[in-house]
Amino acid sequence: MSIQGQPPPRIAQRFLRWFCKPELLEEIEGDIEEDYYYRQQDKGKNYAAFWYCIDVVRFLKPFAVKSFVKTQTFNPMFSINSKLAFRNLAKNKLYSFINITGLAIGIAACLIITQYVLFQLSFDRFHSKSDRIYRVLTTAYQNGEYGNTGLYCGFALAPALLKDVPEIEQAARVHPYYGGAIVQRTGQKGGVRPFFEEEVLFTEPSFFSIFSFELLQGDAHTALSSPNAVVITQKIADKYFGSSHDAIIGQSLRINGGYTNEEFTITGILKDVPANSHLNFDILLPLQKVLQSNQYTQPGADWGWTNFFVYALLNPQVTEQQAEQKIANLMHRYRAEELESSGTREVLSLEPILDVHLQSSIDNEDGEQANKTDMGTIYFLIVIALFILVIAWINFINLSTAKATERGVEVGIKKAMGAIRPQLIAQFLTESFWINLIAVALGLAITYLLLPIMGEVIDLPLELTWNAPVIQILLLTLIVVGPVLAGLYPAFILSAYQSVNALKSQKSGGQKDRFAVRKALVVFQFVVSTLLMAGTFAVSKQLRYMENRDTGFQMDQVLVIKGPRVGVSLENFEAFKNQVKSIATAESFASSRSIPGAGYSFATNARREDTEQSAVKRIDATWIDKGFMETYGMELISGRDFSDAYDSPDEMDRNGVLVSEEALKVFGLGTAEEALEKRLIISGDTSLIRGVVKDHNWKSLHKGYVASAFYYIPATTRYFSLKINSQNTKATLEQIEEKYHEAFPGNPLEFFFMDDFFNRQYEQDQQFASIFNAFAGFAIFAACLGLFGLASYTVVQKAKEIGIRKVLGAGSLQITLLFSKRYMVLILIANLLAVPLAYLAIHKWLQNFAFSIPIRANLFIVPIVILAAIALLTISFQTLKASFSNPVKNLRSE
């Protein structure tokens, strides 16, 4: 019976169809509609519609409501695909091992490099106001030409900035404790051992208003307000007072050196300075103490002695550009006459502390600040990380597509049973997902194992930081995006087989195209591998070159002693000098204000006596005694050394200087012989040139030769240098220690060998080399692992061909060479592409050094031969194994 009328309410009807189970919908909907039409005929449309809605709601019961969990259909499919994936991995153990191991190595390398890069980028970001903290730089122009950009300035600059530049909220001056200090705990009964401390800075209370160094005990606002206050780090507190810090505030330390010889009261304990801080210190002393010294109380010292550096905190509303506009010409407001008369222009600028570690614009930085990395290295390491990861994914793609023929029957059967292409793509993507997930887990384990080891090798505190957004994004990419990127192409290839051809084991028409893609991917892998191996050779050769190059002075068996700071007199200095020279194994003795690798004592302006004042140029200088040239084997190419035989009563020799060959060029002094008749005006004092020293590398080979001058000083206790022979070094050191403590009681003995000290300048280069070599090895291993997998599957697919060739009389070597040829051709193509790229990259890197190795053919030939040999061994292992097998067995197999 058909009942006609107005249709039921649309919203109620859709609601019923939305929640009702499909298997109950037809029956329930039919019954409700039948009642609706009867009511509509009897009572009208509105009455029927009302009760229709009531009936729909009445059926909103558990038995009639369908499940809304969409994974109901997904879970079984994902579960089935996962089971198939694990069965396939278990069935093909070699394939699974190569894929998972290769991906895990790539992921671990990527994570380790990322962690290193994050550490380098994190410098000084722990300060809460880091985006507003700047250090003030001075750029000098001489007669309109660029001179240099420096950090150091006079102590009058900071007050001038606060007075004249309202955009600067706070300013803090910092003064290094040159030469270090002798520190000793006081107030203890019995002998208390003194220690030599180098990481000591003078600063002022505003230092803690600018920086966020954590003060564990004490008040940051008043900790440095007293002239005899001292703030120490946890490390120093442990060193002098033990692990308990409860009663350290108020205790005293005696600090002796060039600026202080008195007791200081501990007013604060700082948490140890983080490793990612460009400022390194263990002890902070009040700046007013150094300003009270004779050096800084002389007329003109406020601008003349440029031994300070200044940090500025900008107001929150001010930009760097606004502040720089105000400070640019500040120096000419206070030193106009002096600067104009010398033809000098000094421009002040601001450098963000976030740029100090990686992008500093300072010329000729000395000490730890000079031994740092740069953004070029960071970018280069990021590229290496991406290359290694891409190589690992390429291995997966290559092996998956190479295995396509073997899985063709599987695809054909599934298609014949009704499987559609999206289902097959889902299956292979699921397999890719699990391989990537297992590889990520294994890669994390490798990272946890290797990261501390890598940290020890490069002397950095490296640990995996889960809370870093970059690490989280990277892991998410590896887990989610990685399977799609690496698995999508093989999934489409495998699912594209036609069922009939697949069941007949026929190759699809795109097989040649896929083999061409695999060849291109192999070529890419070995292009990267050749680049990295050539880079490894270049870096290693450059490091050896820097360590072994003739620097212009002899470093072997030169022992350097840090001079005493307490109870020093000319008498005990001479006594120690004579006693040490009497040791049979001591060949010579020298004292100096500085040593090679530690920077010159000071830099200043100088000009030839017969030139205008505006002709001044930079010169670096230090003080040495009569034995310095002999001890360090420095060659005098003209004139005479500071020696007793030539000392004159009017002290002409003491006022004279030795200059370097480079100084002859800079100041236009003519030849080495002609220069002896001329004088230089250095820092306003006229000095006779008494000798010319052969050019030498006082600093690292990153820098070229500089114009330098050596002043004579009869006795200085900054550094003692002893040339000793290699016979019984231990006994010699024991004798030196005995005579040192006898001559300078109360001073700790600290010494080092010159060659070790000088080569510390290359720590950053050595770190880079260690990282580069390690990850170049990772990349080459991953590439060879993929090649091993491809060779394995080639051998399996060509088993019958190998058997036939064996039966026909082919030898194992012939078979190996035949099957290796196709891959060796690919490696040859890769090398032809890689060599020009490697040349450009190496040439660019070597431009960071003033002295570098020549780029010769062996830089490329040796890596190519090694890489080809590794690849040939990798391929030969499988082909030889197959060629030695019984050919009858291969010919019988289907």
mmCIF file of all heavy atoms in Angstrom, residues 116-117 119-123 355-361 365 368-381 460 702 761 763-765 767-769 771 845 848:
data_model
loop_
_atom_site.group_PDB
_atom_site.id
_atom_site.type_symbol
_atom_site.label_atom_id
_atom_site.label_comp_id
_atom_site.label_asym_id
_atom_site.label_seq_id
_atom_site.Cartn_x
_atom_site.Cartn_y
_atom_site.Cartn_z
ATOM 1 N N TYR A 116 75.054 19.866 17.475
ATOM 2 C CA TYR A 116 76.251 20.714 17.470
ATOM 3 C C TYR A 116 75.911 22.110 16.954
ATOM 4 O O TYR A 116 76.340 23.121 17.529
ATOM 5 C CB TYR A 116 77.334 20.075 16.603
ATOM 6 C CG TYR A 116 78.558 20.942 16.419
ATOM 7 C CD1 TYR A 116 79.530 21.021 17.402
ATOM 8 C CD2 TYR A 116 78.730 21.693 15.258
ATOM 9 C CE1 TYR A 116 80.654 21.825 17.234
ATOM 10 C CE2 TYR A 116 79.838 22.494 15.087
ATOM 11 C CZ TYR A 116 80.805 22.554 16.072
ATOM 12 O OH TYR A 116 81.901 23.357 15.905
ATOM 13 N N VAL A 117 75.134 22.165 15.867
ATOM 14 C CA VAL A 117 74.741 23.456 15.297
ATOM 15 C C VAL A 117 73.901 24.245 16.288
ATOM 16 O O VAL A 117 74.098 25.465 16.468
ATOM 17 C CB VAL A 117 73.979 23.242 13.972
ATOM 18 C CG1 VAL A 117 73.307 24.528 13.512
ATOM 19 C CG2 VAL A 117 74.926 22.731 12.891
ATOM 20 N N PHE A 119 73.992 24.056 19.509
ATOM 21 C CA PHE A 119 74.878 24.560 20.570
ATOM 22 C C PHE A 119 75.605 25.817 20.105
ATOM 23 O O PHE A 119 75.681 26.808 20.842
ATOM 24 C CB PHE A 119 75.889 23.482 20.961
ATOM 25 C CG PHE A 119 76.907 23.961 21.963
ATOM 26 C CD1 PHE A 119 76.594 24.055 23.303
ATOM 27 C CD2 PHE A 119 78.176 24.355 21.542
ATOM 28 C CE1 PHE A 119 77.528 24.518 24.220
ATOM 29 C CE2 PHE A 119 79.106 24.816 22.455
ATOM 30 C CZ PHE A 119 78.783 24.897 23.790
ATOM 31 N N GLN A 120 76.120 25.798 18.882
ATOM 32 C CA GLN A 120 76.829 26.967 18.372
ATOM 33 C C GLN A 120 75.897 28.167 18.237
ATOM 34 O O GLN A 120 76.295 29.313 18.486
ATOM 35 C CB GLN A 120 77.475 26.647 17.027
ATOM 36 C CG GLN A 120 78.563 25.586 17.081
ATOM 37 C CD GLN A 120 79.798 26.021 17.838
ATOM 38 O OE1 GLN A 120 80.015 27.208 18.069
ATOM 39 N NE2 GLN A 120 80.610 25.067 18.264
ATOM 40 N N LEU A 121 74.652 27.931 17.845
ATOM 41 C CA LEU A 121 73.691 29.026 17.677
ATOM 42 C C LEU A 121 73.134 29.525 18.999
ATOM 43 O O LEU A 121 72.498 30.580 19.042
ATOM 44 C CB LEU A 121 72.536 28.572 16.780
ATOM 45 C CG LEU A 121 72.877 28.283 15.313
ATOM 46 C CD1 LEU A 121 71.666 27.697 14.596
ATOM 47 C CD2 LEU A 121 73.358 29.535 14.599
ATOM 48 N N SER A 122 73.340 28.763 20.076
ATOM 49 C CA SER A 122 72.754 29.136 21.371
ATOM 50 C C SER A 122 73.613 30.103 22.172
ATOM 51 O O SER A 122 73.206 30.514 23.271
ATOM 52 C CB SER A 122 72.524 27.871 22.207
ATOM 53 O OG SER A 122 73.764 27.333 22.661
ATOM 54 N N PHE A 123 74.779 30.493 21.655
ATOM 55 C CA PHE A 123 75.690 31.333 22.430
ATOM 56 C C PHE A 123 75.009 32.630 22.864
ATOM 57 O O PHE A 123 74.429 33.360 22.051
ATOM 58 C CB PHE A 123 76.950 31.643 21.627
ATOM 59 C CG PHE A 123 78.076 30.709 21.924
ATOM 60 C CD1 PHE A 123 78.028 29.396 21.487
ATOM 61 C CD2 PHE A 123 79.159 31.118 22.671
ATOM 62 C CE1 PHE A 123 79.059 28.513 21.771
ATOM 63 C CE2 PHE A 123 80.198 30.250 22.960
ATOM 64 C CZ PHE A 123 80.146 28.942 22.516
ATOM 65 N N ASP A 355 75.689 37.986 17.932
ATOM 66 C CA ASP A 355 76.541 37.832 16.747
ATOM 67 C C ASP A 355 78.006 37.612 17.101
ATOM 68 O O ASP A 355 78.810 37.308 16.213
ATOM 69 C CB ASP A 355 76.454 39.078 15.853
ATOM 70 C CG ASP A 355 75.097 39.211 15.189
ATOM 71 O OD1 ASP A 355 74.313 38.251 15.234
ATOM 72 O OD2 ASP A 355 74.817 40.291 14.638
ATOM 73 N N VAL A 356 78.352 37.766 18.372
ATOM 74 C CA VAL A 356 79.766 37.759 18.761
ATOM 75 C C VAL A 356 80.427 36.428 18.415
ATOM 76 O O VAL A 356 81.529 36.387 17.867
ATOM 77 C CB VAL A 356 79.910 38.061 20.266
ATOM 78 C CG1 VAL A 356 81.329 37.766 20.735
ATOM 79 C CG2 VAL A 356 79.553 39.503 20.550
ATOM 80 N N HIS A 357 79.757 35.324 18.697
ATOM 81 C CA HIS A 357 80.401 34.017 18.543
ATOM 82 C C HIS A 357 80.537 33.603 17.084
ATOM 83 O O HIS A 357 81.562 33.039 16.696
ATOM 84 C CB HIS A 357 79.598 32.961 19.305
ATOM 85 C CG HIS A 357 80.189 31.585 19.220
ATOM 86 N ND1 HIS A 357 81.416 31.272 19.738
ATOM 87 C CD2 HIS A 357 79.723 30.445 18.642
ATOM 88 C CE1 HIS A 357 81.684 29.994 19.499
ATOM 89 N NE2 HIS A 357 80.675 29.475 18.829
ATOM 90 N N LEU A 358 79.536 33.892 16.282
ATOM 91 C CA LEU A 358 79.535 33.371 14.917
ATOM 92 C C LEU A 358 79.740 34.429 13.841
ATOM 93 O O LEU A 358 80.155 34.097 12.733
ATOM 94 C CB LEU A 358 78.212 32.636 14.635
ATOM 95 C CG LEU A 358 77.971 31.360 15.438
ATOM 96 C CD1 LEU A 358 76.583 30.820 15.160
ATOM 97 C CD2 LEU A 358 79.015 30.303 15.102
ATOM 98 N N GLN A 359 79.436 35.675 14.146
ATOM 99 C CA GLN A 359 79.469 36.690 13.098
ATOM 100 C C GLN A 359 80.175 37.959 13.547
ATOM 101 O O GLN A 359 79.793 39.058 13.156
ATOM 102 C CB GLN A 359 78.040 37.035 12.662
ATOM 103 C CG GLN A 359 77.243 35.841 12.165
ATOM 104 C CD GLN A 359 75.853 36.221 11.745
ATOM 105 O OE1 GLN A 359 75.656 36.852 10.712
ATOM 106 N NE2 GLN A 359 74.861 35.854 12.536
ATOM 107 N N SER A 360 81.206 37.812 14.360
ATOM 108 C CA SER A 360 81.907 38.984 14.867
ATOM 109 C C SER A 360 82.609 39.725 13.734
ATOM 110 O O SER A 360 83.160 39.126 12.811
ATOM 111 C CB SER A 360 82.931 38.576 15.927
ATOM 112 O OG SER A 360 83.647 39.709 16.368
ATOM 113 N N SER A 361 82.579 41.044 13.829
ATOM 114 C CA SER A 361 83.220 41.881 12.804
ATOM 115 C C SER A 361 84.540 42.455 13.290
ATOM 116 O O SER A 361 85.084 43.371 12.680
ATOM 117 C CB SER A 361 82.270 43.026 12.419
ATOM 118 O OG SER A 361 81.862 43.751 13.569
ATOM 119 N N GLU A 365 91.194 39.481 16.630
ATOM 120 C CA GLU A 365 90.896 39.154 18.027
ATOM 121 C C GLU A 365 91.933 38.170 18.542
ATOM 122 O O GLU A 365 92.378 37.274 17.826
ATOM 123 C CB GLU A 365 89.495 38.546 18.156
ATOM 124 C CG GLU A 365 88.419 39.583 18.387
ATOM 125 C CD GLU A 365 87.112 38.952 18.807
ATOM 126 O OE1 GLU A 365 86.439 38.374 17.958
ATOM 127 O OE2 GLU A 365 86.766 39.057 19.986
ATOM 128 N N GLU A 368 90.836 33.453 23.479
ATOM 129 C CA GLU A 368 89.755 32.512 23.231
ATOM 130 C C GLU A 368 88.766 33.048 22.211
ATOM 131 O O GLU A 368 88.160 32.289 21.465
ATOM 132 C CB GLU A 368 89.030 32.187 24.547
ATOM 133 C CG GLU A 368 89.881 31.419 25.539
ATOM 134 C CD GLU A 368 89.121 31.068 26.792
ATOM 135 O OE1 GLU A 368 87.895 31.276 26.805
ATOM 136 O OE2 GLU A 368 89.736 30.583 27.747
ATOM 137 N N GLN A 369 88.576 34.373 22.179
ATOM 138 C CA GLN A 369 87.615 34.930 21.241
ATOM 139 C C GLN A 369 88.069 34.724 19.799
ATOM 140 O O GLN A 369 87.243 34.697 18.885
ATOM 141 C CB GLN A 369 87.414 36.422 21.522
ATOM 142 C CG GLN A 369 86.654 36.696 22.804
ATOM 143 C CD GLN A 369 85.303 36.007 22.825
ATOM 144 O OE1 GLN A 369 84.540 36.098 21.892
ATOM 145 N NE2 GLN A 369 85.029 35.297 23.889
ATOM 146 N N ALA A 370 89.375 34.603 19.580
ATOM 147 C CA ALA A 370 89.857 34.379 18.223
ATOM 148 C C ALA A 370 89.651 32.931 17.788
ATOM 149 O O ALA A 370 89.612 32.629 16.605
ATOM 150 C CB ALA A 370 91.338 34.740 18.130
ATOM 151 N N ASN A 371 89.511 32.019 18.739
ATOM 152 C CA ASN A 371 89.399 30.598 18.447
ATOM 153 C C ASN A 371 87.925 30.205 18.465
ATOM 154 O O ASN A 371 87.433 29.595 19.403
ATOM 155 C CB ASN A 371 90.186 29.802 19.493
ATOM 156 C CG ASN A 371 90.232 28.337 19.148
ATOM 157 O OD1 ASN A 371 90.098 27.956 17.992
ATOM 158 N ND2 ASN A 371 90.394 27.515 20.159
ATOM 159 N N LYS A 372 87.209 30.593 17.430
ATOM 160 C CA LYS A 372 85.785 30.323 17.392
ATOM 161 C C LYS A 372 85.361 29.989 15.978
ATOM 162 O O LYS A 372 86.109 30.173 15.021
ATOM 163 C CB LYS A 372 85.001 31.522 17.922
ATOM 164 C CG LYS A 372 85.252 32.806 17.158
ATOM 165 C CD LYS A 372 84.611 33.975 17.866
ATOM 166 C CE LYS A 372 84.915 35.266 17.124
ATOM 167 N NZ LYS A 372 84.387 36.435 17.807
ATOM 168 N N THR A 373 84.144 29.497 15.869
ATOM 169 C CA THR A 373 83.639 29.103 14.561
ATOM 170 C C THR A 373 82.959 30.283 13.887
ATOM 171 O O THR A 373 82.996 31.403 14.392
ATOM 172 C CB THR A 373 82.678 27.913 14.712
ATOM 173 O OG1 THR A 373 82.346 27.419 13.421
ATOM 174 C CG2 THR A 373 81.421 28.312 15.447
ATOM 175 N N ASP A 374 82.358 30.044 12.729
ATOM 176 C CA ASP A 374 81.674 31.111 12.015
ATOM 177 C C ASP A 374 80.444 30.541 11.334
ATOM 178 O O ASP A 374 80.243 29.321 11.271
ATOM 179 C CB ASP A 374 82.600 31.778 10.998
ATOM 180 C CG ASP A 374 83.215 30.779 10.030
ATOM 181 O OD1 ASP A 374 82.458 30.048 9.377
ATOM 182 O OD2 ASP A 374 84.449 30.719 9.947
ATOM 183 N N MET A 375 79.605 31.410 10.783
ATOM 184 C CA MET A 375 78.357 30.969 10.174
ATOM 185 C C MET A 375 78.622 30.137 8.922
ATOM 186 O O MET A 375 77.819 29.255 8.591
ATOM 187 C CB MET A 375 77.492 32.175 9.826
ATOM 188 C CG MET A 375 76.749 32.765 11.015
ATOM 189 S SD MET A 375 75.712 31.581 11.905
ATOM 190 C CE MET A 375 74.554 31.083 10.626
ATOM 191 N N GLY A 376 79.718 30.388 8.231
ATOM 192 C CA GLY A 376 80.029 29.574 7.065
ATOM 193 C C GLY A 376 80.177 28.107 7.430
ATOM 194 O O GLY A 376 79.683 27.214 6.722
ATOM 195 N N THR A 377 80.860 27.842 8.557
ATOM 196 C CA THR A 377 81.008 26.463 9.026
ATOM 197 C C THR A 377 79.659 25.872 9.394
ATOM 198 O O THR A 377 79.377 24.701 9.106
ATOM 199 C CB THR A 377 81.947 26.434 10.248
ATOM 200 O OG1 THR A 377 83.215 26.980 9.880
ATOM 201 C CG2 THR A 377 82.135 25.017 10.751
ATOM 202 N N ILE A 378 78.806 26.670 10.042
ATOM 203 C CA ILE A 378 77.478 26.197 10.439
ATOM 204 C C ILE A 378 76.664 25.807 9.203
ATOM 205 O O ILE A 378 76.056 24.728 9.151
ATOM 206 C CB ILE A 378 76.743 27.281 11.250
ATOM 207 C CG1 ILE A 378 77.490 27.565 12.552
ATOM 208 C CG2 ILE A 378 75.305 26.858 11.537
ATOM 209 C CD1 ILE A 378 77.640 26.382 13.468
ATOM 210 N N TYR A 379 76.635 26.676 8.203
ATOM 211 C CA TYR A 379 75.893 26.363 6.975
ATOM 212 C C TYR A 379 76.449 25.104 6.314
ATOM 213 O O TYR A 379 75.695 24.260 5.801
ATOM 214 C CB TYR A 379 75.964 27.534 6.000
ATOM 215 C CG TYR A 379 75.237 28.767 6.466
ATOM 216 C CD1 TYR A 379 75.783 30.036 6.277
ATOM 217 C CD2 TYR A 379 73.999 28.682 7.110
ATOM 218 C CE1 TYR A 379 75.114 31.181 6.706
ATOM 219 C CE2 TYR A 379 73.335 29.814 7.538
ATOM 220 C CZ TYR A 379 73.892 31.061 7.333
ATOM 221 O OH TYR A 379 73.236 32.188 7.765
ATOM 222 N N PHE A 380 77.763 24.988 6.321
ATOM 223 C CA PHE A 380 78.398 23.833 5.687
ATOM 224 C C PHE A 380 77.991 22.543 6.394
ATOM 225 O O PHE A 380 77.688 21.532 5.737
ATOM 226 C CB PHE A 380 79.916 24.020 5.732
ATOM 227 C CG PHE A 380 80.670 23.011 4.934
ATOM 228 C CD1 PHE A 380 80.617 23.024 3.547
ATOM 229 C CD2 PHE A 380 81.421 22.038 5.548
ATOM 230 C CE1 PHE A 380 81.313 22.089 2.797
ATOM 231 C CE2 PHE A 380 82.123 21.101 4.807
ATOM 232 C CZ PHE A 380 82.068 21.129 3.428
ATOM 233 N N LEU A 381 77.961 22.554 7.715
ATOM 234 C CA LEU A 381 77.582 21.357 8.463
ATOM 235 C C LEU A 381 76.111 21.017 8.258
ATOM 236 O O LEU A 381 75.740 19.840 8.215
ATOM 237 C CB LEU A 381 77.876 21.565 9.953
ATOM 238 C CG LEU A 381 79.360 21.596 10.328
ATOM 239 C CD1 LEU A 381 79.536 21.958 11.795
ATOM 240 C CD2 LEU A 381 80.016 20.255 10.040
ATOM 241 N N LEU A 460 83.214 19.808 23.948
ATOM 242 C CA LEU A 460 82.002 20.614 24.088
ATOM 243 C C LEU A 460 80.935 19.781 24.789
ATOM 244 O O LEU A 460 80.845 18.567 24.568
ATOM 245 C CB LEU A 460 81.480 21.067 22.717
ATOM 246 C CG LEU A 460 82.298 22.123 21.975
ATOM 247 C CD1 LEU A 460 81.688 22.389 20.609
ATOM 248 C CD2 LEU A 460 82.392 23.418 22.760
ATOM 249 N N HIS A 702 95.874 31.715 10.213
ATOM 250 C CA HIS A 702 94.684 32.374 9.677
ATOM 251 C C HIS A 702 95.022 33.822 9.314
ATOM 252 O O HIS A 702 94.381 34.400 8.442
ATOM 253 C CB HIS A 702 93.556 32.379 10.715
ATOM 254 C CG HIS A 702 92.846 31.069 10.821
ATOM 255 N ND1 HIS A 702 91.861 30.689 9.956
ATOM 256 C CD2 HIS A 702 92.981 30.049 11.702
ATOM 257 C CE1 HIS A 702 91.418 29.498 10.294
ATOM 258 N NE2 HIS A 702 92.084 29.085 11.348
ATOM 259 N N GLN A 761 95.657 27.441 19.145
ATOM 260 C CA GLN A 761 94.952 28.391 18.290
ATOM 261 C C GLN A 761 94.137 27.682 17.211
ATOM 262 O O GLN A 761 93.229 28.262 16.626
ATOM 263 C CB GLN A 761 95.946 29.325 17.608
ATOM 264 C CG GLN A 761 96.745 30.184 18.568
ATOM 265 C CD GLN A 761 97.768 31.017 17.831
ATOM 266 O OE1 GLN A 761 97.557 32.189 17.578
ATOM 267 N NE2 GLN A 761 98.878 30.400 17.475
ATOM 268 N N GLU A 763 92.366 24.912 17.738
ATOM 269 C CA GLU A 763 91.381 24.005 18.333
ATOM 270 C C GLU A 763 90.080 24.001 17.545
ATOM 271 O O GLU A 763 89.467 22.954 17.336
ATOM 272 C CB GLU A 763 91.111 24.399 19.790
ATOM 273 C CG GLU A 763 92.202 23.968 20.751
ATOM 274 C CD GLU A 763 91.893 24.363 22.180
ATOM 275 O OE1 GLU A 763 90.844 25.014 22.403
ATOM 276 O OE2 GLU A 763 92.683 24.019 23.068
ATOM 277 N N GLN A 764 89.633 25.189 17.124
ATOM 278 C CA GLN A 764 88.389 25.254 16.375
ATOM 279 C C GLN A 764 88.536 24.552 15.029
ATOM 280 O O GLN A 764 87.620 23.853 14.584
ATOM 281 C CB GLN A 764 87.973 26.713 16.158
ATOM 282 C CG GLN A 764 86.544 26.886 15.681
ATOM 283 C CD GLN A 764 85.539 26.372 16.675
ATOM 284 O OE1 GLN A 764 85.585 26.726 17.849
ATOM 285 N NE2 GLN A 764 84.639 25.532 16.223
ATOM 286 N N ASP A 765 89.684 24.715 14.388
ATOM 287 C CA ASP A 765 89.924 24.007 13.130
ATOM 288 C C ASP A 765 89.971 22.499 13.359
ATOM 289 O O ASP A 765 89.465 21.719 12.539
ATOM 290 C CB ASP A 765 91.241 24.471 12.504
ATOM 291 C CG ASP A 765 91.238 25.953 12.186
ATOM 292 O OD1 ASP A 765 90.381 26.383 11.399
ATOM 293 O OD2 ASP A 765 92.073 26.675 12.738
ATOM 294 N N GLN A 767 88.401 20.902 15.779
ATOM 295 C CA GLN A 767 87.020 20.492 16.018
ATOM 296 C C GLN A 767 86.295 20.289 14.699
ATOM 297 O O GLN A 767 85.608 19.279 14.493
ATOM 298 C CB GLN A 767 86.284 21.557 16.839
ATOM 299 C CG GLN A 767 86.612 21.564 18.307
ATOM 300 C CD GLN A 767 85.778 22.590 19.048
ATOM 301 O OE1 GLN A 767 84.801 23.112 18.532
ATOM 302 N NE2 GLN A 767 86.163 22.894 20.266
ATOM 303 N N PHE A 768 86.443 21.271 13.816
ATOM 304 C CA PHE A 768 85.795 21.179 12.512
ATOM 305 C C PHE A 768 86.281 19.940 11.763
ATOM 306 O O PHE A 768 85.489 19.219 11.145
ATOM 307 C CB PHE A 768 86.078 22.439 11.698
ATOM 308 C CG PHE A 768 85.566 22.386 10.289
ATOM 309 C CD1 PHE A 768 84.214 22.477 10.021
ATOM 310 C CD2 PHE A 768 86.450 22.225 9.233
ATOM 311 C CE1 PHE A 768 83.743 22.416 8.718
ATOM 312 C CE2 PHE A 768 85.991 22.176 7.930
ATOM 313 C CZ PHE A 768 84.627 22.269 7.672
ATOM 314 N N ALA A 769 87.595 19.684 11.809
ATOM 315 C CA ALA A 769 88.147 18.527 11.116
ATOM 316 C C ALA A 769 87.580 17.234 11.686
ATOM 317 O O ALA A 769 87.235 16.311 10.940
ATOM 318 C CB ALA A 769 89.670 18.533 11.221
ATOM 319 N N ILE A 771 84.701 16.742 13.251
ATOM 320 C CA ILE A 771 83.297 16.607 12.860
ATOM 321 C C ILE A 771 83.199 16.263 11.374
ATOM 322 O O ILE A 771 82.459 15.356 10.977
ATOM 323 C CB ILE A 771 82.532 17.903 13.174
ATOM 324 C CG1 ILE A 771 82.466 18.121 14.684
ATOM 325 C CG2 ILE A 771 81.125 17.874 12.596
ATOM 326 C CD1 ILE A 771 81.903 19.452 15.080
ATOM 327 N N TRP A 845 87.226 27.452 1.068
ATOM 328 C CA TRP A 845 87.567 27.228 2.483
ATOM 329 C C TRP A 845 88.983 27.707 2.780
ATOM 330 O O TRP A 845 89.229 28.311 3.834
ATOM 331 C CB TRP A 845 87.421 25.745 2.806
ATOM 332 C CG TRP A 845 87.740 25.423 4.224
ATOM 333 C CD1 TRP A 845 87.011 25.741 5.334
ATOM 334 C CD2 TRP A 845 88.899 24.724 4.708
ATOM 335 N NE1 TRP A 845 87.641 25.288 6.470
ATOM 336 C CE2 TRP A 845 88.800 24.663 6.116
ATOM 337 C CE3 TRP A 845 90.002 24.146 4.089
ATOM 338 C CZ2 TRP A 845 89.754 24.031 6.912
ATOM 339 C CZ3 TRP A 845 90.953 23.519 4.877
ATOM 340 C CH2 TRP A 845 90.837 23.471 6.261
ATOM 341 N N ASN A 848 90.134 31.236 4.074
ATOM 342 C CA ASN A 848 90.101 31.631 5.484
ATOM 343 C C ASN A 848 91.496 31.692 6.094
ATOM 344 O O ASN A 848 91.645 32.111 7.239
ATOM 345 C CB ASN A 848 89.242 30.656 6.295
ATOM 346 C CG ASN A 848 87.791 30.696 5.896
ATOM 347 O OD1 ASN A 848 87.250 31.762 5.639
ATOM 348 N ND2 ASN A 848 87.153 29.539 5.822
#
